[in-house]
Amino acid sequence: FERRPELYRVPPSIRFTHIYFSPDRRGETVKADAERALNQLAAPEQPPRWASELGDPFMLQYAHSLQSPQEVSHVFGQSFADALFELTPGAWQGPVESSYGHHLIQVSEKVEGQLPDMSLVHDQVLQNLLRERREKAQVQAYEVLRNRYEISITDDVALAGIEILSEMGGG
């Protein structure tokens, strides 16, 4: 556990909602449209009742439960995931570009990555330790066996090997 903490570290996670803006539907105005919608969301006098109606239909969900950077990247792309985890919870922010288009994001929760208490990963640590010991024992057993034998190749064996290769077209 202490030697390899990266094996047990719980990654950060984030809960967010997004509004999607499609470059296929909006063309070159996609980013400007997203920025206008962001201004509308920030206006205290008349925030829209249904924020998602400001954007375009999206084939996946709008609200996402806690997800790791890897999970977000799998759906939206690495640059989107990197940008998302830089945002602070609270107000709508963006636009953030993904492999689909532009998004306005509202982060509702952000959980920092952490190393869990040993008691929570005890079984996993034990399995990893046993696997390491088993692999080390196998390497040592192989070394003992290898050291017991001396391999020598005589000229007849070498010539026979060359003849076999020649017959097979290998040389």
Side-chain angles (χ1 to χ4, degrees):
F1 182 75
E2 291 172 0
R3 271 189 301 121
R4 309 274 313 274
E6 70 278 3
L7 293 176
Y8 311 103
R9 182 169 294 285
V10 176
S13 58
I14 197 164
R15 182 185 321 271
F16 67 99
T17 303
H18 71 105
I19 302 171
Y20 171 65
F21 294 84
S22 169
D24 293 335
R25 285 181 175 234
R26 296 171 185 263
E28 292 186 18
T29 67
V30 65
K31 188 173 181 182
D33 291 350
E35 289 168 348
R36 261 192 303 287
L38 181 62
N39 289 334
Q40 202 175 347
L41 287 167
E45 62 277 353
Q46 215 174 29
R49 185 177 169 128
W50 299 106
S52 64
E53 292 176 6
L54 293 173
D56 298 318
F58 189 66
M59 64 183 154
L60 303 172
Q61 66 219 39
Y62 286 95
H64 293 266
S65 60
L66 285 173
Q67 294 187 352
S68 70
Q70 183 179 4
E71 292 167 322
V72 172
S73 174
H74 181 71
V75 175
F76 293 97
Q78 188 61 51
S79 61
F80 180 89
D82 292 343
L84 179 66
F85 277 83
E86 293 297 317
L87 301 177
T88 55
W92 285 96
Q93 300 165 74
V96 175
E97 192 169 0
S98 77
S99 54
Y100 301 107
H102 287 77
H103 307 257
L104 297 181
I105 310 290
Q106 185 178 43
V107 175
S108 54
E109 184 180 2
K110 198 172 182 180
V111 178
E112 296 301 320
Q114 61 185 347
L115 189 60
D117 187 78
M118 169 70 165
S119 64
L120 297 173
V121 292
H122 178 269
D123 291 346
Q124 185 181 358
V125 173
L126 180 59
Q127 291 303 316
N128 288 341
L129 177 63
L130 293 173
R131 187 189 76 250
E132 278 182 24
R133 287 182 179 173
R134 191 171 43 254
E135 289 170 358
K136 187 176 179 181
Q138 287 173 341
V139 167
Q140 288 172 342
Y142 174 74
E143 289 292 323
V144 167
L145 285 173
R146 194 177 79 189
N147 290 334
R148 285 176 149 175
Y149 297 94
E150 182 178 317
I151 299 172
S152 60
I153 299 176
T154 63
D155 289 341
D156 332 353
V157 173
L159 287 173
I162 292 171
E163 287 175 16
I164 292 171
L165 285 176
S166 294
E167 289 172 11
M168 294 172 54

